[in-house]
Amino acid sequence: MTTPINARELFQTAYASRYTWDENFPGYTANVELKQDNAIYTGNARINHDLVVEVTGIADKQVQEGIITQLTDLTITCQRVNFEQAHGKHEFVCGEEDSTGAIEVFVKGNSIDLQYKIRGKEICQISRTIGDTSAVFVYHTNFDTGAGYIRDRYEAIFRNVQTQEISESINFQDTYTKVGNYYLLTHQVVQESPMTGTTEFTYSNIQLLELAKV
């Protein structure tokens, strides 16, 4: 007799297995270079201890906002939030297991309705619907830091809910480097389709900030 899968435990294990920055994360500064088509933009980036992102030295406001958006997404990925605080009131239901061994887990609550796929102890897919658009994030590979996994090759696919036609897909390839006690994003390549444009972010001269002593 097969033991029934506990959806909450399955999801909680995968949630706890992610790499996140601890409460002592001081923040850091870095030089940033963005290459897009034939243009190159350079400036300075800063993520503070409270995970607020600042980008300076770039005159093009659209480019500046693009870097802020990317780094804000990084802070959301790496922010450590207690499981009970994030998901304590949510309902977890198991779905089907696919041919790769990934198991569907549906997470529902007052303001959340997500479908995950979990393979082993790692989240490998997240799906959600926003208005008339469905968004699926597929994690093709995860980087094992030794202190948890973090996505490094993944894809975002956007479809029309009614027709299921793909409106856009974006591929990401990330590189993380350990600086002090923390793994930080040092390189990202973003390829968009159908535009087939490529954007490349490079972060260098990374310096961890000093935490203020109380």
Side-chain angles (χ1 to χ4, degrees):
M1 181 175 179
T2 303
T3 303
I5 297 172
N6 185 308
R8 181 186 178 87
E9 290 181 2
L10 182 66
F11 181 83
Q12 186 171 1
T13 297
Y15 184 87
S17 298
R18 300 170 306 127
Y19 174 76
T20 55
W21 298 327
D22 61 27
E23 63 277 4
N24 295 318
F25 175 71
Y28 64 94
T29 60
N31 297 337
V32 56
E33 178 185 85
L34 184 150
K35 295 180 181 179
Q36 194 170 49
D37 299 325
N38 295 320
I40 298 177
Y41 305 88
T42 59
N44 302 294
R46 177 186 177 108
I47 296 180
N48 294 298
H49 168 63
D50 60 5
L51 304 186
V52 172
V53 174
E54 302 173 23
V55 175
T56 58
I58 296 178
D60 189 309
K61 294 301 180 183
Q62 186 173 356
V63 171
Q64 181 186 42
E65 287 300 321
I67 297 171
I68 291 173
T69 297
Q70 184 224 38
L71 290 177
T72 299
D73 183 60
L74 173 67
T75 66
I76 293 170
T77 298
C78 293
Q79 182 179 17
R80 182 169 297 182
V81 181
N82 178 274
F83 179 81
E84 288 300 323
Q85 181 183 346
H87 294 289
K89 297 182 179 180
H90 295 154
E91 177 187 1
F92 300 85
V93 179
C94 273
E96 300 295 323
E97 180 177 343
D98 68 19
S99 59
T100 71
I103 300 173
E104 289 177 315
V105 174
F106 298 91
V107 181
K108 299 180 180 293
N110 291 334
S111 60
I112 188 172
D113 189 356
L114 299 173
Q115 175 189 348
Y116 290 81
K117 281 192 174 184
I118 297 173
R119 186 182 302 112
K121 295 182 178 181
E122 298 182 1
I123 295 169
C124 58
Q125 183 173 303
I126 305 174
S127 304
R128 70 179 306 169
T129 299
I130 306 172
D132 295 329
T133 301
S134 69
V136 179
F137 301 89
V138 182
Y139 303 141
H140 297 296
T141 62
N142 289 320
F143 170 57
D144 184 2
T145 67
Y149 70 89
I150 190 167
R151 65 192 189 191
D152 65 352
R153 188 172 67 86
Y154 51 103
E155 181 179 9
I157 305 167
F158 301 92
R159 286 186 173 88
N160 180 288
V161 172
Q162 301 299 324
T163 66
Q164 289 301 301
E165 181 180 355
I166 295 177
S167 57
E168 184 180 23
S169 66
I170 309 172
N171 285 281
F172 302 83
Q173 179 71 58
D174 295 353
T175 301
Y176 287 85
T177 301
K178 192 173 186 180
V179 180
N181 294 325
Y182 301 97
Y183 281 91
L184 306 176
L185 181 68
T186 52
H187 190 241
Q188 183 182 71
V189 178
V190 182
Q191 293 180 308
E192 298 184 42
S193 179
M195 295 172 59
T196 65
T198 298
T199 303
E200 185 175 356
F201 302 83
T202 301
Y203 296 94
S204 59
N205 191 28
I206 296 175
Q207 302 290 329
L208 294 176
L209 299 173
E210 291 286 340
L211 279 179
K213 297 184 184 295
V214 179

